[in-house]
Short mmCIF file of all heavy atoms in Angstrom, two decimals:
data_model
loop_
_atom_site.label_atom_id
_atom_site.label_comp_id
_atom_site.label_asym_id
_atom_site.label_seq_id
_atom_site.Cartn_x
_atom_site.Cartn_y
_atom_site.Cartn_z
N PHE V 10 127.28 72.15 111.99
CA PHE V 10 127.49 72.35 113.51
C PHE V 10 126.84 73.69 114.02
O PHE V 10 127.08 74.01 115.06
CB PHE V 10 129.00 72.34 113.78
CG PHE V 10 129.63 71.02 113.62
CD1 PHE V 10 130.44 70.77 112.52
CD2 PHE V 10 129.33 70.03 114.51
CE1 PHE V 10 131.02 69.52 112.38
CE2 PHE V 10 129.95 68.79 114.37
CZ PHE V 10 130.81 68.53 113.23
N GLY V 11 126.16 74.38 113.17
CA GLY V 11 125.54 75.63 113.55
C GLY V 11 126.57 76.69 114.02
O GLY V 11 126.27 77.57 114.82
N LEU V 12 127.72 76.79 113.43
CA LEU V 12 128.71 77.68 113.85
C LEU V 12 128.36 79.19 113.58
O LEU V 12 128.54 80.01 114.43
CB LEU V 12 130.05 77.34 113.20
CG LEU V 12 130.68 76.09 113.67
CD1 LEU V 12 131.98 75.83 112.95
CD2 LEU V 12 130.95 76.04 115.19
N PRO V 13 127.75 79.48 112.36
CA PRO V 13 127.42 80.91 112.23
C PRO V 13 126.49 81.37 113.32
O PRO V 13 126.65 82.52 113.82
CB PRO V 13 126.80 80.87 110.86
CG PRO V 13 127.30 79.62 110.09
CD PRO V 13 127.50 78.65 111.25
N GLU V 14 125.49 80.58 113.65
CA GLU V 14 124.48 81.08 114.72
C GLU V 14 125.21 81.17 116.01
O GLU V 14 125.05 82.13 116.81
CB GLU V 14 123.38 80.09 114.79
CG GLU V 14 122.31 80.48 115.74
CD GLU V 14 121.20 79.45 115.87
OE1 GLU V 14 120.94 78.79 114.83
OE2 GLU V 14 120.55 79.41 116.85
N THR V 15 126.13 80.27 116.29
CA THR V 15 126.85 80.31 117.67
C THR V 15 127.71 81.57 117.66
O THR V 15 127.73 82.27 118.67
CB THR V 15 127.70 79.05 117.79
OG1 THR V 15 126.85 77.92 117.65
CG2 THR V 15 128.42 79.05 119.15
N ILE V 16 128.42 81.84 116.58
CA ILE V 16 129.30 82.93 116.55
C ILE V 16 128.51 84.25 116.62
O ILE V 16 128.82 85.21 117.29
CB ILE V 16 130.19 82.91 115.25
CG1 ILE V 16 131.14 81.79 115.34
CG2 ILE V 16 130.88 84.27 115.04
CD1 ILE V 16 131.89 81.48 114.09
N GLU V 17 127.34 84.28 116.02
CA GLU V 17 126.44 85.43 116.05
C GLU V 17 126.03 85.69 117.42
O GLU V 17 126.03 86.82 117.94
CB GLU V 17 125.25 85.27 115.12
CG GLU V 17 124.26 86.41 115.15
CD GLU V 17 123.14 86.19 114.27
OE1 GLU V 17 123.17 85.34 113.31
OE2 GLU V 17 122.05 86.81 114.54
N LYS V 18 125.72 84.63 118.21
CA LYS V 18 125.25 84.83 119.55
C LYS V 18 126.34 85.36 120.45
O LYS V 18 126.08 86.03 121.41
CB LYS V 18 124.74 83.49 120.11
CG LYS V 18 123.33 83.18 119.53
CD LYS V 18 122.80 81.85 120.08
CE LYS V 18 121.53 81.53 119.49
NZ LYS V 18 120.93 80.27 119.92
N LEU V 19 127.58 84.96 120.12
CA LEU V 19 128.73 85.48 120.93
C LEU V 19 128.96 86.87 120.63
O LEU V 19 129.34 87.69 121.59
CB LEU V 19 129.89 84.59 120.66
CG LEU V 19 129.94 83.16 121.23
CD1 LEU V 19 131.21 82.49 120.71
CD2 LEU V 19 129.96 83.20 122.72
N ILE V 20 128.91 87.25 119.35
CA ILE V 20 129.20 88.64 119.03
C ILE V 20 128.07 89.59 119.33
O ILE V 20 128.26 90.71 119.78
CB ILE V 20 129.55 88.66 117.45
CG1 ILE V 20 130.79 87.90 117.21
CG2 ILE V 20 129.74 90.14 117.00
CD1 ILE V 20 131.12 87.76 115.77
N PHE V 21 126.77 89.16 119.08
CA PHE V 21 125.59 90.04 119.34
C PHE V 21 124.73 89.31 120.38
O PHE V 21 123.72 88.76 120.04
CB PHE V 21 124.83 90.21 118.08
CG PHE V 21 125.58 90.75 116.83
CD1 PHE V 21 125.97 89.88 115.79
CD2 PHE V 21 126.01 91.97 116.91
CE1 PHE V 21 126.81 90.39 114.83
CE2 PHE V 21 126.75 92.55 115.83
CZ PHE V 21 127.18 91.74 114.78
#
Side-chain angles (χ1 to χ4, degrees):
F10 292 107
L12 293 178
E14 183 177 335
T15 304
I16 292 169
E17 178 182 337
K18 286 180 182 179
L19 289 172
I20 296 172
F21 305 107

